[in-house]
Amino acid sequence: MTDPPLVPPRILTPSEPLISFESPEDYHSHSSYSNSVSDLDDPFTEDTTESSTDDPDSSTTAVAPPLPARKHHRYHHQQESNSNSSRTSNSNCISAPPPLPVRRSTVAQAEDLAASPKTPRPSTSARLAPPPPHSSHPSPNHLARVSLDLDHPPSSAPTTSERKTFGKHPPPPTRTIALCDKLPPKRPTTTEGVTIGDSDDDESGDEDDVKGSGVDLLPDATRASRRPPYLMTPRDRDSGVYPAQPCKITVPAHAGHLAMSGEHVIVDSTHHIRFYNINLSQELPSKSMDTKDFGIKDGKVMAVEFKTEFLIDVRNGDLLGVKHCAHMNPILYLFRYAGSMISIDEIGKVLIWSPDPATGDIKLLHHTPRVMRITDKLDFTKIIGGVLWTAGRSEQHGAGTLARTPIIRMYDLFNPASTGKTAMPTEHVGPVTSATIIPSDPGHVYVGHEEGFITIWASEDADSSGGYPKCIEVMKVASTDVTSLEGINDRLWAGGRNGMITVYDIAPRPWMATNSWAAHPGLPVLQISADPFEVEKYKRLGVVSVGRDERVGLWDGLLALDWQDTEVQKHEQSYSTFRDLKVLIISWNCDSAKPDSLHGHPANINFFHDVLNSEDRPDIISFGFQEVIDLESRKMAAKNMLMAARTDARSRTDARSRTDEGTLLGLLDKVTGAYKRWFDALMLAVKLAMPPDCPYSVVHTESMFGHFTCVMVKNTEKAAVRDVAINTVKRGMGGRYGNISYGGILSRFLIDDSSLCFVNCHLAAGQHAVRARNADAAGMLEQQFLFPAAGEHLAFVGGGDGSMVLDHEIVFVNGDMNYRINQRRDAITAAVRANEHESLFAHDQLLKEIKYNRGCRFRFFTEGPIAFAPTYKYDRPWCDRVLWRSRVPSRVKQLHYQRYEVNVSDHRPISAAFNITVKRTRHEIREKKKAEVQMQWTVLQEKLLMEAREFYINSCRI
């Protein structure tokens, strides 16, 4: 933190008038404003005259100059004409604006939309359920139905309604709060990513402000596996090798469609149709066709579905039937339900093709479909339980913003008397993107929305909704849009706009994310669908996904490998041995102080001795310094940028060479002298503080824009250390350079069969930069491919390979995190003087983020009890912190957490010591246990497949 002080504000006396300024320059030039500050011998003297930082967001008690009254354009002339009559004798008061007209409530509009006639819905058994196809005909998974647009220009997706202009509205009403009146309570915020007590005009956020806002309902993702569950084909099963590569099939992003049935995959794009057999090859199609092969010119494939306008036998590509001009407009959707097929065009015309009762087949040339009409310009359409769910979006003006509220309409396709039902979610959740039923919970429909929401609908609630589904619950599951959903057994699969697929266990509250992987990195997941035809023939349940990256993902719907690994890990005690190690972490923002400045005060002279002897002979010592160089020096900053550019150009894969001390010194010679002076000082300090029979070796050392990291281990533990890697993450200036100092140095290594990661970070400064700090933390903890993948996967968690920070069993994060205290400065100072630190914890930004903010990446980290005074000089916050995360919480126990009274910087250094437990795996015993688990899985797999098949039969999907 580089925050020089400001003078404390002067409090006006009652006799002094308030002064208004036309501009900030007038304010700063006024005689009552001063930048001077008295010199302090000890920067940490507890003095109420001490000033705040020069950070524009810094918390002070200053009374801000009043803002000039804003003139609303609609009342401008009226205000001028009435200005004389509106003035009062009190020159300190501002007259209230004229009254505003009452605006019509938007709630009534939403009620009007839902007020459509209710048609009783017949029971499930009374619906028209066509018989299954006759056994003498080709099975449904061998026939593909393809819809072509023959007479109309291409259209790749349904269009949404144009935004309507509602004209100019009067400004919202205002209210005047008299002097000394109590301010109204703040409205709780439930939007993902909004930090409680984080707005620019809030300096005293309180815990009570967020109670009841439901912020703790985000699914628990602490144990989610990040390993992609690739689908195992018969060829993989025969070889005994689990697939480790993604599928090679591609689908054009804006013009392509895909359908899957068993081993058959069909991909269409404009006038091309490609057929794949994934059991034989996932790269080359087994057959390709063109619409010209059907005798059609200038045709465009608009939809494709397996079942039977074109009927193609995918085994040999034979064309079995054609229905010209079934629709006069482009067909956008094809659905299969039992033996029927449903086609929907862009103007809302629906054709229901029922099978022949005698043969169970659909004869396109000799069959007349039943016709229905629905609304056009839809964003979403899907058949669930014989009901057609459709959704558009309604544009409504809310409190100064444009709220997009989804309108859901449901049509009972197999009830000719049905006229449809209109419904809306109980809360604002954004447009509908997807919907599904979870087999283990068939009584509810799960609907995905933009803005990260999932609504839950009771599928049959005749008493309250006339037999149609009713919204009963709204869940916030992510900070990104939910773009696709599919229910598999007892799990809910959800695709996001960020390319992630997350699998949720819906039984606990909040939900638990069991798997989360980058299926289509960085681009939306457009489709997730299960393939029920694989269940009986191939004894597997495949899931296919399509992303905007034009790739196809083939996934194991049963998540077999993750289940087996979880079961094997439950028996870890039987095949592993354990031992304890002692870890000492030292963190300090030294504010460009040099090692030779540690003199004069006894705390300065004895700092290294005190901190290194705070625990007896630690096995691992990690030094994490920030602001080693003067960040205000342009010359120094430019030099470090040039050095960093050269460092980034080098490969960091050969991390083992860094363990050689000669190489380390050679590297340090290339950086500024400040880093080398600190490196030499640390080496000497460890040598002097530790007994001669306890030498240490350097495992890591790295520098980046003021950061400096040095990790040492005892020589007796050096042989157990392997897979050493180190990297840097720059967060300042858009991530290109470090505030230039914001970012972190991340280092990792394996010791025995456990993985450790150390993060030395410096997060964004400023009283109100909580979101920026959270973003810096997320950028370091979730960045992919930071480290080279390690060969030993048993040392990592969540199916990871060690390339990410959160892949490691134990993660320590230390540094100048810059989280402040949302409280008045005089109250903070009084609490610190009275040694009442506990009274400030409720206002500490980091503790509040961990407790309340669902998007804070530190939410699943732990911090020990703080029993020391704030570490930063000016604002009195606990800027300097040490956090940790462990796969098994009991394997990390904190021994101490304290600060040191070094006064050569505006920060006090801190240290934290831990007793950690590492494991050593006996691989031959583990392999025996793994074989037992695989036998258990064979039995469980049969049960799961049987349940899945029964569900798909009952839901008329096979």
Side-chain angles (χ1 to χ4, degrees), residues 579 581-582 618-621 655-664 683 693-700 711-724 748-754 918 920:
R579 65 190 181 101
L581 297 175
K582 197 177 296 183
D619 299 284
I620 302 170
I621 304 175
R656 292 181 182 274
S657 62
R658 296 175 183 266
T659 59
D660 179 73
E661 186 172 340
T663 303
L664 291 171
M683 295 290 289
D693 61 343
C694 185
Y696 287 76
S697 296
V698 176
V699 174
H700 290 138
V711 181
M712 306 178 186
V713 299
K714 277 182 182 178
N715 281 0
T716 55
E717 299 293 343
K718 187 176 179 180
V721 174
R722 66 183 190 281
D723 283 317
V724 178
R748 80 102 189 273
F749 58 85
L750 273 61
I751 188 163
D752 291 346
D753 290 316
S754 295
V918 297
R920 182 171 295 168

Side-chain angles (χ1 to χ4, degrees), residues 109 113 160-169 377 393-397 402 404 407 409:
Q109 300 175 16
L113 290 172
T160 59
S161 59
E162 296 293 330
R163 294 184 178 271
K164 298 179 181 179
T165 302
F166 290 90
K168 297 180 179 179
H169 286 272
K377 298 181 179 179
R393 65 183 72 194
S394 170
E395 297 182 349
Q396 298 182 7
H397 281 281
L402 187 64
R404 298 179 298 171
I407 303 174
R409 292 183 174 89

Side-chain angles (χ1 to χ4, degrees), residues 285-524:
S286 58
K287 187 175 181 62
S288 298
M289 301 182 69
D290 193 282
T291 55
K292 295 179 180 178
D293 299 334
F294 311 145
I296 304 299
K297 294 183 179 179
D298 301 326
K300 180 180 185 293
V301 181
M302 300 294 294
V304 59
E305 177 60 274
F306 275 90
K307 163 56 184 169
T308 25
E309 299 149 20
F310 281 99
L311 201 61
I312 303 171
D313 190 331
V314 299
R315 296 169 297 183
N316 50 31
D318 292 342
L319 182 63
L320 304 180
V322 177
K323 184 73 171 182
H324 292 283
C325 300
H327 289 266
M328 301 303 295
N329 294 277
I331 301 172
L332 300 180
Y333 302 99
L334 283 175
F335 297 106
R336 176 185 68 249
Y337 184 75
S340 299
M341 296 293 292
I342 297 93
S343 57
I344 306 174
D345 65 24
E346 70 175 8
I347 65 168
K349 180 181 178 181
V350 181
L351 298 184
I352 303 173
W353 307 78
S354 298
D356 188 321
T359 63
D361 202 357
I362 297 177
K363 302 294 184 180
L364 292 179
L365 292 176
H366 307 289
H367 183 80
T368 301
R370 185 163 58 89
V371 181
M372 286 186 63
R373 288 286 179 180
I374 62 174
T375 57
D376 59 354
K377 298 181 179 179
L378 299 173
D379 296 316
F380 162 77
T381 303
K382 188 169 184 178
I383 296 179
I384 301 176
V387 175
L388 178 66
W389 289 60
T390 68
R393 65 183 72 194
S394 170
E395 297 182 349
Q396 298 182 7
H397 281 281
T401 61
L402 187 64
R404 298 179 298 171
T405 304
I407 303 174
I408 300 176
R409 292 183 174 89
M410 308 162 211
Y411 305 87
D412 193 338
L413 297 178
F414 300 101
N415 179 11
S418 174
T419 58
K421 166 74 175 180
T422 300
M424 297 178 67
T426 56
E427 301 178 19
H428 168 69
V429 290
V432 175
T433 61
S434 51
T436 190
I437 291 180
I438 301 176
S440 64
D441 186 24
H444 296 92
V445 176
Y446 295 78
V447 179
H449 301 264
E450 293 181 7
E451 303 179 21
F453 288 97
I454 292 178
T455 55
I456 305 174
W457 301 68
S459 59
E460 293 196 14
D461 191 352
D463 294 337
S464 59
S465 59
Y468 281 87
K470 176 183 177 182
C471 183
I472 60 173
E473 190 174 1
V474 177
M475 300 286 290
K476 178 74 170 180
V477 299
S479 58
T480 184
D481 297 339
V482 176
T483 58
S484 50
L485 288 177
E486 181 66 310
I488 310 291
N489 287 341
D490 61 344
R491 297 288 190 267
L492 178 63
W493 291 47
R497 189 165 297 281
N498 57 1
M500 302 291 292
I501 292 181
T502 304
V503 181
Y504 296 106
D505 181 356
I506 63 168
R509 284 293 189 272
W511 293 352
M512 179 177 295
T514 60
N515 301 75
S516 184
W517 69 95
H520 305 275
L523 293 170

Side-chain angles (χ1 to χ4, degrees), residues 725-763:
I726 195 166
N727 208 337
T728 60
V729 175
K730 307 175 184 66
R731 292 295 303 173
M733 297 174 62
R736 292 170 293 181
Y737 304 104
N739 110 246
I740 59 175
S741 72
Y742 302 145
I745 300 176
L746 306 93
S747 57
R748 80 102 189 273
F749 58 85
L750 273 61
I751 188 163
D752 291 346
D753 290 316
S754 295
S755 55
L756 279 70
C757 184
F758 296 87
V759 179
N760 170 25
C761 65
H762 189 187
L763 308 184

